[in-house]
Amino acid sequence: MAEIDQSLIDAIASGEKSAFDAVYRSHKDHLLTVTVVTLGIDSIAAEDVLHDVFIRLAECSSTLRLKVSLRSFLISCCLNRGRDLLRREKIRQRAVQSRSETIEHVSPDEAVEQAEANARIIDLLCKLPAEQREVVTLHLHGGLTFAEVAESCQIPLDTAKSRYRYALSKLQKWWSNSTIPTGDQHDT
Amino acid sequence: MTHEYELEEVIKTSLLQTTTKSEARLSENVDELLGGRSKTSAKNPVKPMQAIGEIMQSPRMLKRVAPSISILVTILAVGLCWGLRSTVTWAQVVEAVNQKSWMRMTGETPEGVVITWSSQKHQIFAIQSPQRVSISRFQDDVTESYSPDTKQIFKSAAEKKSSERVGFDSFNALFGMLERGDEVLDLEEFREENSIESIEQSRKEIEIDSIKFFDYRITLQPQEEAASTMTIRINSETRLPNQVTVNNSGQPEVIFQVDFPETGPLDIYSMGVPENTQIVDQTPQGVSPEFKEIVDQMQAAVVGFDDYRGIIVLSDPDHPWHVGTPQIVWRKGNFRRMDFGFIDTNNSQPTVDPAADLDRQQWWQNRCKLLYFRPIQVSESGLVYSNNYTPKDDDFAARNSHPIKLDAKKWSKTQWKKFGKIENWQGRTSPLHSTYPHISGFFTNSTSYDTKVVRDPSDEEKGTLLVTVDFSSSPVGEQQTDRPLTMNQVKYVLDSRKNYAVLRSSTIVYAEQDGESEVQSQNEVVNRDFKQSPKGFWYPTLIINKHEFSMNGQQHTGENVSRVYLDFEIEMPDKLFQQSKSNSLGIPK
């Protein structure tokens, strides 16, 4: 997979727009979700983050040599860029925009159903303690292995796993009971 | 409560989507950046890997790409079921189709020749067309797909909701129902699963070259698809489908010829894909190639193992070999059966201590003739049926000391119920499942299993491997939400010189609460005294099972042994694996 990732980067470097499109379309929704859930910013701000990251990818593709998977690399870029923006521009955190506006290419019934399920699970994720939701979204939305998650969060591997398990246990209870917790969760 | 892996799937699919506005902005800006770099892009565009990747990942997209093919199998299954209802006996049709290893359908479509392959025996569904070659091996939970455009094989976990899976399962479910002999087939559930809303049918008899056929014309209205009319031609003599004509609204008529070859594609290369094609592995990651290799080897042993009938004698560890409770297990390809034998207190025959040099297998075969047997589970076509065998006033103590003595008159009549898929087969004492367990489940159901493989561990013999799997499991059931999260550790010691047979396995369950963890239960299985089957596969003839668990603050321990006697020469008629009402079927003569 790493070879394919690098060959796509090389193709972008040589001006292949179709390669760029392939990379963008393969990763955009995963990156958007990870950025929204991890940083707690709204999807409009997250789209700005993605825009900057992909522009930077196109600019630097000729010198880019991947040492990790492209997905992992792009997630790091998005989170770093998002954190930069949060620090420098002080993005005002807003409630997550209505996801139904962003869902396209599906029939109305499917869109409503999908939007409701998405909204519910994203809301639940956002109620988790920050360190737990970061691990869950990196692993499940970002597709990173636990080792990659640990490296990304700069925590030991066992900590990543235990955070994930505690988070999932909590989500399971909330999801089954249809109870969305209120207030900040402080337990780890 | 939702199972952990189901919740993981919900989260994975809860992706937000970028807006077209932001995509357009990015596209415009990138065009400017990339525009001047190369003039070759129009001539030699990189084929986006996303295109086929998306197909692999999205059942909805797959349905759009190949609507006529994906629904064809389903429709044919429905058509067979409804169309033949009033004319020939179901048993005849089922028997005719089941005797065939493969069913192949070949049709000339506007896009070129399309061939589909389906095999219940091999648990395979495959499609070959000019645009795409794909094969789903459901036993391995793997789908491989090749596109001549990308010249890559995309390998992924077989999607539970893919058209291939739904179509294939439909066949199995239908034939399962038919084989069970149901007078009224439960098609409501089937139609709902396949999103088919309305069905009409007509039939006429025709004769071609002095051969009589029945043409069944069936009109179906799949949800969100145009209505399809299919004409299924059945040979009145062989009872086999011969031709299927498909008319989809607004599309040219396609005629598929149906035949039943002895051989079919077992992998993607046998459908013309070059062997040196690059493979893009999209199966769940986090599992080492070494572990996958072990899983593949074990799976190969399960598939390749000889057919057998086994007498498995369950016994207490301090009992001699001739004292115990026999189970009889049959394996014939994908077919399975397990019967349970005990001493009927109404007609008990005393056991005579056998001579020391007696043929133990022969002795048990004779002994079985004196016992009362109940079939417990049968399986064919990938589905398992279970027989309720618990007596009305069940005596737990009598049922758990060997040999088991029970009053046969108190047992309920044989009553088969659908138990589930073959993966859930509970014939744990049968040597095949104890020796080559379905460990691929550790990485196909969830991403939260951690596996580790150690070759030649220091405290084991040379040539062995230690596989350790750590995973968590959550409480099950709405009433049990306050139970603690449990951490599980499963270990296998495998012998690489014996087809990776399990020599020893252990399962430890830790309960974790408030940061403290303690052993909740543990189980150890030791396989010993290995023999080789005629085809060269290894199996144990002695299985020792030890377990320990705590309940209500008390520690419980137990141990039993199973002695294994396999017969590889016995003939096994297919009716053995059907839901027979007879209790005596298959008992050694």
Side-chain angles (χ1 to χ4, degrees), chain B residues 202-231:
Chain B
S202 63
R203 178 179 74 86
K204 70 174 178 183
E205 193 174 326
I206 61 166
E207 193 170 310
I208 302 170
D209 295 336
S210 305
I211 300 173
K212 280 186 183 172
F213 294 93
F214 294 118
D215 268 4
Y216 296 88
R217 185 181 159 85
I218 300 161
T219 304
L220 302 171
Q221 178 64 68
Q223 205 172 34
E224 296 176 25
E225 304 277 350
S228 293
T229 301
M230 308 195 64
T231 306

PDB file of all heavy atoms in Angstrom, chain B residues 202-231:
ATOM      1  N   SER B 202     -46.372 -16.819 -14.395  1.00  0.00           N
ATOM      2  CA  SER B 202     -47.187 -17.657 -15.270  1.00  0.00           C
ATOM      3  C   SER B 202     -46.293 -18.793 -15.764  1.00  0.00           C
ATOM      4  O   SER B 202     -45.061 -18.707 -15.674  1.00  0.00           O
ATOM      5  CB  SER B 202     -47.714 -16.844 -16.464  1.00  0.00           C
ATOM      6  OG  SER B 202     -46.630 -16.391 -17.240  1.00  0.00           O
ATOM      7  N   ARG B 203     -46.919 -19.846 -16.281  1.00  0.00           N
ATOM      8  CA  ARG B 203     -46.135 -20.996 -16.692  1.00  0.00           C
ATOM      9  C   ARG B 203     -46.690 -21.565 -18.001  1.00  0.00           C
ATOM     10  O   ARG B 203     -47.899 -21.556 -18.219  1.00  0.00           O
ATOM     11  CB  ARG B 203     -46.212 -22.086 -15.623  1.00  0.00           C
ATOM     12  CG  ARG B 203     -45.464 -23.365 -15.991  1.00  0.00           C
ATOM     13  CD  ARG B 203     -45.587 -24.371 -14.868  1.00  0.00           C
ATOM     14  NE  ARG B 203     -46.908 -24.969 -14.794  1.00  0.00           N
ATOM     15  CZ  ARG B 203     -47.293 -26.024 -15.493  1.00  0.00           C
ATOM     16  NH1 ARG B 203     -46.457 -26.603 -16.323  1.00  0.00           N
ATOM     17  NH2 ARG B 203     -48.508 -26.522 -15.370  1.00  0.00           N
ATOM     18  N   LYS B 204     -45.775 -22.014 -18.844  1.00  0.00           N
ATOM     19  CA  LYS B 204     -46.247 -22.742 -20.021  1.00  0.00           C
ATOM     20  C   LYS B 204     -45.270 -23.882 -20.347  1.00  0.00           C
ATOM     21  O   LYS B 204     -44.077 -23.792 -20.017  1.00  0.00           O
ATOM     22  CB  LYS B 204     -46.416 -21.799 -21.219  1.00  0.00           C
ATOM     23  CG  LYS B 204     -45.148 -21.255 -21.808  1.00  0.00           C
ATOM     24  CD  LYS B 204     -45.467 -20.462 -23.062  1.00  0.00           C
ATOM     25  CE  LYS B 204     -44.192 -19.869 -23.645  1.00  0.00           C
ATOM     26  NZ  LYS B 204     -44.404 -19.047 -24.807  1.00  0.00           N
ATOM     27  N   GLU B 205     -45.820 -24.906 -20.971  1.00  0.00           N
ATOM     28  CA  GLU B 205     -45.004 -26.070 -21.299  1.00  0.00           C
ATOM     29  C   GLU B 205     -44.576 -25.959 -22.753  1.00  0.00           C
ATOM     30  O   GLU B 205     -45.390 -25.647 -23.624  1.00  0.00           O
ATOM     31  CB  GLU B 205     -45.837 -27.337 -21.087  1.00  0.00           C
ATOM     32  CG  GLU B 205     -45.030 -28.598 -21.095  1.00  0.00           C
ATOM     33  CD  GLU B 205     -45.891 -29.801 -20.741  1.00  0.00           C
ATOM     34  OE1 GLU B 205     -46.816 -29.659 -19.923  1.00  0.00           O
ATOM     35  OE2 GLU B 205     -45.632 -30.882 -21.315  1.00  0.00           O
ATOM     36  N   ILE B 206     -43.327 -26.183 -23.034  1.00  0.00           N
ATOM     37  CA  ILE B 206     -42.855 -26.127 -24.413  1.00  0.00           C
ATOM     38  C   ILE B 206     -42.026 -27.372 -24.724  1.00  0.00           C
ATOM     39  O   ILE B 206     -41.597 -28.083 -23.807  1.00  0.00           O
ATOM     40  CB  ILE B 206     -42.003 -24.867 -24.682  1.00  0.00           C
ATOM     41  CG1 ILE B 206     -40.756 -24.869 -23.785  1.00  0.00           C
ATOM     42  CG2 ILE B 206     -42.801 -23.599 -24.483  1.00  0.00           C
ATOM     43  CD1 ILE B 206     -39.727 -23.867 -24.239  1.00  0.00           C
ATOM     44  N   GLU B 207     -41.790 -27.599 -26.000  1.00  0.00           N
ATOM     45  CA  GLU B 207     -40.995 -28.758 -26.397  1.00  0.00           C
ATOM     46  C   GLU B 207     -39.963 -28.312 -27.425  1.00  0.00           C
ATOM     47  O   GLU B 207     -40.292 -27.658 -28.416  1.00  0.00           O
ATOM     48  CB  GLU B 207     -41.898 -29.846 -26.979  1.00  0.00           C
ATOM     49  CG  GLU B 207     -41.197 -31.179 -27.128  1.00  0.00           C
ATOM     50  CD  GLU B 207     -42.178 -32.303 -27.469  1.00  0.00           C
ATOM     51  OE1 GLU B 207     -43.202 -32.426 -26.768  1.00  0.00           O
ATOM     52  OE2 GLU B 207     -41.902 -33.026 -28.441  1.00  0.00           O
ATOM     53  N   ILE B 208     -38.712 -28.600 -27.164  1.00  0.00           N
ATOM     54  CA  ILE B 208     -37.646 -28.258 -28.105  1.00  0.00           C
ATOM     55  C   ILE B 208     -36.852 -29.530 -28.379  1.00  0.00           C
ATOM     56  O   ILE B 208     -36.302 -30.127 -27.442  1.00  0.00           O
ATOM     57  CB  ILE B 208     -36.706 -27.168 -27.526  1.00  0.00           C
ATOM     58  CG1 ILE B 208     -37.516 -25.915 -27.173  1.00  0.00           C
ATOM     59  CG2 ILE B 208     -35.587 -26.827 -28.504  1.00  0.00           C
ATOM     60  CD1 ILE B 208     -36.719 -24.882 -26.385  1.00  0.00           C
ATOM     61  N   ASP B 209     -36.720 -29.892 -29.633  1.00  0.00           N
ATOM     62  CA  ASP B 209     -36.014 -31.116 -30.021  1.00  0.00           C
ATOM     63  C   ASP B 209     -36.461 -32.313 -29.191  1.00  0.00           C
ATOM     64  O   ASP B 209     -35.630 -33.043 -28.602  1.00  0.00           O
ATOM     65  CB  ASP B 209     -34.484 -30.924 -29.879  1.00  0.00           C
ATOM     66  CG  ASP B 209     -33.975 -29.878 -30.846  1.00  0.00           C
ATOM     67  OD1 ASP B 209     -34.639 -29.653 -31.875  1.00  0.00           O
ATOM     68  OD2 ASP B 209     -32.921 -29.272 -30.543  1.00  0.00           O
ATOM     69  N   SER B 210     -37.740 -32.455 -29.055  1.00  0.00           N
ATOM     70  CA  SER B 210     -38.357 -33.572 -28.328  1.00  0.00           C
ATOM     71  C   SER B 210     -38.067 -33.561 -26.819  1.00  0.00           C
ATOM     72  O   SER B 210     -38.254 -34.577 -26.140  1.00  0.00           O
ATOM     73  CB  SER B 210     -37.894 -34.923 -28.906  1.00  0.00           C
ATOM     74  OG  SER B 210     -38.138 -34.983 -30.284  1.00  0.00           O
ATOM     75  N   ILE B 211     -37.525 -32.449 -26.341  1.00  0.00           N
ATOM     76  CA  ILE B 211     -37.313 -32.362 -24.884  1.00  0.00           C
ATOM     77  C   ILE B 211     -38.346 -31.392 -24.329  1.00  0.00           C
ATOM     78  O   ILE B 211     -38.549 -30.299 -24.856  1.00  0.00           O
ATOM     79  CB  ILE B 211     -35.890 -31.866 -24.543  1.00  0.00           C
ATOM     80  CG1 ILE B 211     -34.871 -32.834 -25.127  1.00  0.00           C
ATOM     81  CG2 ILE B 211     -35.704 -31.733 -23.033  1.00  0.00           C
ATOM     82  CD1 ILE B 211     -33.442 -32.354 -24.991  1.00  0.00           C
ATOM     83  N   LYS B 212     -39.005 -31.814 -23.261  1.00  0.00           N
ATOM     84  CA  LYS B 212     -40.030 -30.953 -22.659  1.00  0.00           C
ATOM     85  C   LYS B 212     -39.400 -30.006 -21.634  1.00  0.00           C
ATOM     86  O   LYS B 212     -38.559 -30.411 -20.822  1.00  0.00           O
ATOM     87  CB  LYS B 212     -41.085 -31.811 -21.973  1.00  0.00           C
ATOM     88  CG  LYS B 212     -42.090 -32.393 -22.932  1.00  0.00           C
ATOM     89  CD  LYS B 212     -43.187 -33.113 -22.190  1.00  0.00           C
ATOM     90  CE  LYS B 212     -44.152 -33.744 -23.192  1.00  0.00           C
ATOM     91  NZ  LYS B 212     -45.118 -34.615 -22.545  1.00  0.00           N
ATOM     92  N   PHE B 213     -39.833 -28.759 -21.708  1.00  0.00           N
ATOM     93  CA  PHE B 213     -39.388 -27.752 -20.744  1.00  0.00           C
ATOM     94  C   PHE B 213     -40.600 -27.040 -20.169  1.00  0.00           C
ATOM     95  O   PHE B 213     -41.657 -26.963 -20.811  1.00  0.00           O
ATOM     96  CB  PHE B 213     -38.497 -26.705 -21.427  1.00  0.00           C
ATOM     97  CG  PHE B 213     -37.184 -27.241 -21.927  1.00  0.00           C
ATOM     98  CD1 PHE B 213     -37.053 -27.682 -23.232  1.00  0.00           C
ATOM     99  CD2 PHE B 213     -36.084 -27.295 -21.086  1.00  0.00           C
ATOM    100  CE1 PHE B 213     -35.844 -28.177 -23.699  1.00  0.00           C
ATOM    101  CE2 PHE B 213     -34.869 -27.781 -21.545  1.00  0.00           C
ATOM    102  CZ  PHE B 213     -34.743 -28.230 -22.862  1.00  0.00           C
ATOM    103  N   PHE B 214     -40.429 -26.516 -18.998  1.00  0.00           N
ATOM    104  CA  PHE B 214     -41.410 -25.592 -18.441  1.00  0.00           C
ATOM    105  C   PHE B 214     -40.787 -24.201 -18.459  1.00  0.00           C
ATOM    106  O   PHE B 214     -39.677 -24.011 -17.951  1.00  0.00           O
ATOM    107  CB  PHE B 214     -41.752 -25.965 -16.996  1.00  0.00           C
ATOM    108  CG  PHE B 214     -42.450 -27.278 -16.873  1.00  0.00           C
ATOM    109  CD1 PHE B 214     -41.884 -28.327 -16.160  1.00  0.00           C
ATOM    110  CD2 PHE B 214     -43.685 -27.464 -17.477  1.00  0.00           C
ATOM    111  CE1 PHE B 214     -42.532 -29.535 -16.050  1.00  0.00           C
ATOM    112  CE2 PHE B 214     -44.336 -28.678 -17.370  1.00  0.00           C
ATOM    113  CZ  PHE B 214     -43.761 -29.722 -16.661  1.00  0.00           C
ATOM    114  N   ASP B 215     -41.494 -23.240 -19.021  1.00  0.00           N
ATOM    115  CA  ASP B 215     -41.044 -21.849 -18.992  1.00  0.00           C
ATOM    116  C   ASP B 215     -41.841 -21.102 -17.927  1.00  0.00           C
ATOM    117  O   ASP B 215     -43.060 -20.976 -18.029  1.00  0.00           O
ATOM    118  CB  ASP B 215     -41.272 -21.181 -20.360  1.00  0.00           C
ATOM    119  CG  ASP B 215     -40.048 -21.298 -21.250  1.00  0.00           C
ATOM    120  OD1 ASP B 215     -39.076 -21.961 -20.822  1.00  0.00           O
ATOM    121  OD2 ASP B 215     -40.068 -20.744 -22.358  1.00  0.00           O
ATOM    122  N   TYR B 216     -41.156 -20.640 -16.943  1.00  0.00           N
ATOM    123  CA  TYR B 216     -41.807 -19.880 -15.870  1.00  0.00           C
ATOM    124  C   TYR B 216     -41.464 -18.407 -16.051  1.00  0.00           C
ATOM    125  O   TYR B 216     -40.299 -18.020 -15.978  1.00  0.00           O
ATOM    126  CB  TYR B 216     -41.310 -20.362 -14.504  1.00  0.00           C
ATOM    127  CG  TYR B 216     -41.685 -21.780 -14.240  1.00  0.00           C
ATOM    128  CD1 TYR B 216     -40.859 -22.822 -14.647  1.00  0.00           C
ATOM    129  CD2 TYR B 216     -42.892 -22.084 -13.633  1.00  0.00           C
ATOM    130  CE1 TYR B 216     -41.215 -24.136 -14.442  1.00  0.00           C
ATOM    131  CE2 TYR B 216     -43.257 -23.401 -13.425  1.00  0.00           C
ATOM    132  CZ  TYR B 216     -42.417 -24.416 -13.821  1.00  0.00           C
ATOM    133  OH  TYR B 216     -42.774 -25.714 -13.618  1.00  0.00           O
ATOM    134  N   ARG B 217     -42.492 -17.623 -16.294  1.00  0.00           N
ATOM    135  CA  ARG B 217     -42.297 -16.192 -16.510  1.00  0.00           C
ATOM    136  C   ARG B 217     -42.642 -15.485 -15.203  1.00  0.00           C
ATOM    137  O   ARG B 217     -43.756 -15.603 -14.685  1.00  0.00           O
ATOM    138  CB  ARG B 217     -43.201 -15.727 -17.650  1.00  0.00           C
ATOM    139  CG  ARG B 217     -43.020 -14.310 -18.060  1.00  0.00           C
ATOM    140  CD  ARG B 217     -44.011 -14.001 -19.183  1.00  0.00           C
ATOM    141  NE  ARG B 217     -44.250 -12.590 -19.318  1.00  0.00           N
ATOM    142  CZ  ARG B 217     -43.496 -11.764 -20.030  1.00  0.00           C
ATOM    143  NH1 ARG B 217     -42.454 -12.232 -20.682  1.00  0.00           N
ATOM    144  NH2 ARG B 217     -43.782 -10.486 -20.099  1.00  0.00           N
ATOM    145  N   ILE B 218     -41.700 -14.764 -14.693  1.00  0.00           N
ATOM    146  CA  ILE B 218     -41.863 -14.157 -13.369  1.00  0.00           C
ATOM    147  C   ILE B 218     -41.550 -12.671 -13.469  1.00  0.00           C
ATOM    148  O   ILE B 218     -40.518 -12.277 -14.022  1.00  0.00           O
ATOM    149  CB  ILE B 218     -40.890 -14.812 -12.357  1.00  0.00           C
ATOM    150  CG1 ILE B 218     -41.187 -16.304 -12.275  1.00  0.00           C
ATOM    151  CG2 ILE B 218     -41.018 -14.181 -10.992  1.00  0.00           C
ATOM    152  CD1 ILE B 218     -40.048 -17.089 -11.709  1.00  0.00           C
ATOM    153  N   THR B 219     -42.435 -11.853 -12.949  1.00  0.00           N
ATOM    154  CA  THR B 219     -42.197 -10.408 -12.937  1.00  0.00           C
ATOM    155  C   THR B 219     -41.956  -9.971 -11.495  1.00  0.00           C
ATOM    156  O   THR B 219     -42.744 -10.269 -10.608  1.00  0.00           O
ATOM    157  CB  THR B 219     -43.412  -9.648 -13.512  1.00  0.00           C
ATOM    158  OG1 THR B 219     -43.662 -10.167 -14.812  1.00  0.00           O
ATOM    159  CG2 THR B 219     -43.114  -8.165 -13.607  1.00  0.00           C
ATOM    160  N   LEU B 220     -40.855  -9.311 -11.309  1.00  0.00           N
ATOM    161  CA  LEU B 220     -40.468  -8.878  -9.969  1.00  0.00           C
ATOM    162  C   LEU B 220     -40.264  -7.374  -9.944  1.00  0.00           C
ATOM    163  O   LEU B 220     -39.853  -6.770 -10.930  1.00  0.00           O
ATOM    164  CB  LEU B 220     -39.158  -9.553  -9.545  1.00  0.00           C
ATOM    165  CG  LEU B 220     -39.180 -11.075  -9.532  1.00  0.00           C
ATOM    166  CD1 LEU B 220     -37.784 -11.607  -9.307  1.00  0.00           C
ATOM    167  CD2 LEU B 220     -40.108 -11.570  -8.450  1.00  0.00           C
ATOM    168  N   GLN B 221     -40.527  -6.807  -8.806  1.00  0.00           N
ATOM    169  CA  GLN B 221     -40.321  -5.363  -8.656  1.00  0.00           C
ATOM    170  C   GLN B 221     -39.351  -5.125  -7.497  1.00  0.00           C
ATOM    171  O   GLN B 221     -39.746  -4.954  -6.365  1.00  0.00           O
ATOM    172  CB  GLN B 221     -41.661  -4.675  -8.362  1.00  0.00           C
ATOM    173  CG  GLN B 221     -41.558  -3.160  -8.139  1.00  0.00           C
ATOM    174  CD  GLN B 221     -41.082  -2.432  -9.378  1.00  0.00           C
ATOM    175  OE1 GLN B 221     -41.802  -2.377 -10.371  1.00  0.00           O
ATOM    176  NE2 GLN B 221     -39.874  -1.887  -9.340  1.00  0.00           N
ATOM    177  N   PRO B 222     -38.068  -5.138  -7.780  1.00  0.00           N
ATOM    178  CA  PRO B 222     -37.119  -4.851  -6.712  1.00  0.00           C
ATOM    179  C   PRO B 222     -37.234  -3.385  -6.295  1.00  0.00           C
ATOM    180  O   PRO B 222     -37.548  -2.532  -7.123  1.00  0.00           O
ATOM    181  CB  PRO B 222     -35.757  -5.119  -7.354  1.00  0.00           C
ATOM    182  CG  PRO B 222     -36.047  -5.819  -8.627  1.00  0.00           C
ATOM    183  CD  PRO B 222     -37.410  -5.396  -9.039  1.00  0.00           C
ATOM    184  N   GLN B 223     -36.958  -3.152  -5.018  1.00  0.00           N
ATOM    185  CA  GLN B 223     -37.037  -1.779  -4.521  1.00  0.00           C
ATOM    186  C   GLN B 223     -35.976  -0.919  -5.216  1.00  0.00           C
ATOM    187  O   GLN B 223     -34.836  -1.323  -5.362  1.00  0.00           O
ATOM    188  CB  GLN B 223     -36.787  -1.793  -3.021  1.00  0.00           C
ATOM    189  CG  GLN B 223     -37.408  -0.634  -2.311  1.00  0.00           C
ATOM    190  CD  GLN B 223     -37.288  -0.811  -0.797  1.00  0.00           C
ATOM    191  OE1 GLN B 223     -36.315  -1.364  -0.306  1.00  0.00           O
ATOM    192  NE2 GLN B 223     -38.272  -0.337  -0.087  1.00  0.00           N
ATOM    193  N   GLU B 224     -36.374   0.259  -5.634  1.00  0.00           N
ATOM    194  CA  GLU B 224     -35.474   1.235  -6.256  1.00  0.00           C
ATOM    195  C   GLU B 224     -34.842   0.720  -7.543  1.00  0.00           C
ATOM    196  O   GLU B 224     -33.791   1.196  -7.962  1.00  0.00           O
ATOM    197  CB  GLU B 224     -34.367   1.668  -5.286  1.00  0.00           C
ATOM    198  CG  GLU B 224     -34.906   2.395  -4.082  1.00  0.00           C
ATOM    199  CD  GLU B 224     -33.813   2.725  -3.088  1.00  0.00           C
ATOM    200  OE1 GLU B 224     -32.652   2.835  -3.508  1.00  0.00           O
ATOM    201  OE2 GLU B 224     -34.137   2.878  -1.916  1.00  0.00           O
ATOM    202  N   GLU B 225     -35.424  -0.290  -8.141  1.00  0.00           N
ATOM    203  CA  GLU B 225     -34.944  -0.776  -9.429  1.00  0.00           C
ATOM    204  C   GLU B 225     -36.152  -0.880 -10.350  1.00  0.00           C
ATOM    205  O   GLU B 225     -37.282  -1.010  -9.888  1.00  0.00           O
ATOM    206  CB  GLU B 225     -34.322  -2.170  -9.297  1.00  0.00           C
ATOM    207  CG  GLU B 225     -33.186  -2.289  -8.298  1.00  0.00           C
ATOM    208  CD  GLU B 225     -31.855  -1.862  -8.882  1.00  0.00           C
ATOM    209  OE1 GLU B 225     -31.804  -1.655 -10.107  1.00  0.00           O
ATOM    210  OE2 GLU B 225     -30.898  -1.736  -8.113  1.00  0.00           O
ATOM    211  N   ALA B 226     -35.875  -0.849 -11.644  1.00  0.00           N
ATOM    212  CA  ALA B 226     -36.975  -1.064 -12.582  1.00  0.00           C
ATOM    213  C   ALA B 226     -37.446  -2.511 -12.488  1.00  0.00           C
ATOM    214  O   ALA B 226     -36.689  -3.392 -12.082  1.00  0.00           O
ATOM    215  CB  ALA B 226     -36.491  -0.762 -13.992  1.00  0.00           C
ATOM    216  N   ALA B 227     -38.702  -2.724 -12.856  1.00  0.00           N
ATOM    217  CA  ALA B 227     -39.239  -4.087 -12.806  1.00  0.00           C
ATOM    218  C   ALA B 227     -38.457  -4.995 -13.756  1.00  0.00           C
ATOM    219  O   ALA B 227     -37.997  -4.554 -14.814  1.00  0.00           O
ATOM    220  CB  ALA B 227     -40.709  -4.074 -13.182  1.00  0.00           C
ATOM    221  N   SER B 228     -38.290  -6.236 -13.367  1.00  0.00           N
ATOM    222  CA  SER B 228     -37.598  -7.219 -14.199  1.00  0.00           C
ATOM    223  C   SER B 228     -38.546  -8.354 -14.517  1.00  0.00           C
ATOM    224  O   SER B 228     -39.299  -8.788 -13.653  1.00  0.00           O
ATOM    225  CB  SER B 228     -36.392  -7.808 -13.464  1.00  0.00           C
ATOM    226  OG  SER B 228     -35.416  -6.838 -13.267  1.00  0.00           O
ATOM    227  N   THR B 229     -38.478  -8.792 -15.748  1.00  0.00           N
ATOM    228  CA  THR B 229     -39.217  -9.998 -16.091  1.00  0.00           C
ATOM    229  C   THR B 229     -38.200 -11.071 -16.437  1.00  0.00           C
ATOM    230  O   THR B 229     -37.271 -10.825 -17.205  1.00  0.00           O
ATOM    231  CB  THR B 229     -40.146  -9.760 -17.291  1.00  0.00           C
ATOM    232  OG1 THR B 229     -41.044  -8.714 -16.951  1.00  0.00           O
ATOM    233  CG2 THR B 229     -40.940 -11.014 -17.619  1.00  0.00           C
ATOM    234  N   MET B 230     -38.389 -12.216 -15.851  1.00  0.00           N
ATOM    235  CA  MET B 230     -37.455 -13.297 -16.108  1.00  0.00           C
ATOM    236  C   MET B 230     -38.218 -14.526 -16.556  1.00  0.00           C
ATOM    237  O   MET B 230     -39.297 -14.806 -16.025  1.00  0.00           O
ATOM    238  CB  MET B 230     -36.689 -13.655 -14.845  1.00  0.00           C
ATOM    239  CG  MET B 230     -36.050 -12.479 -14.191  1.00  0.00           C
ATOM    240  SD  MET B 230     -34.850 -13.029 -13.014  1.00  0.00           S
ATOM    241  CE  MET B 230     -33.707 -13.831 -14.068  1.00  0.00           C
ATOM    242  N   THR B 231     -37.655 -15.191 -17.510  1.00  0.00           N
ATOM    243  CA  THR B 231     -38.248 -16.460 -17.913  1.00  0.00           C
ATOM    244  C   THR B 231     -37.225 -17.545 -17.613  1.00  0.00           C
ATOM    245  O   THR B 231     -36.104 -17.527 -18.142  1.00  0.00           O
ATOM    246  CB  THR B 231     -38.596 -16.451 -19.410  1.00  0.00           C
ATOM    247  OG1 THR B 231     -39.425 -15.314 -19.665  1.00  0.00           O
ATOM    248  CG2 THR B 231     -39.329 -17.717 -19.795  1.00  0.00           C
TER     249      THR B 231
END
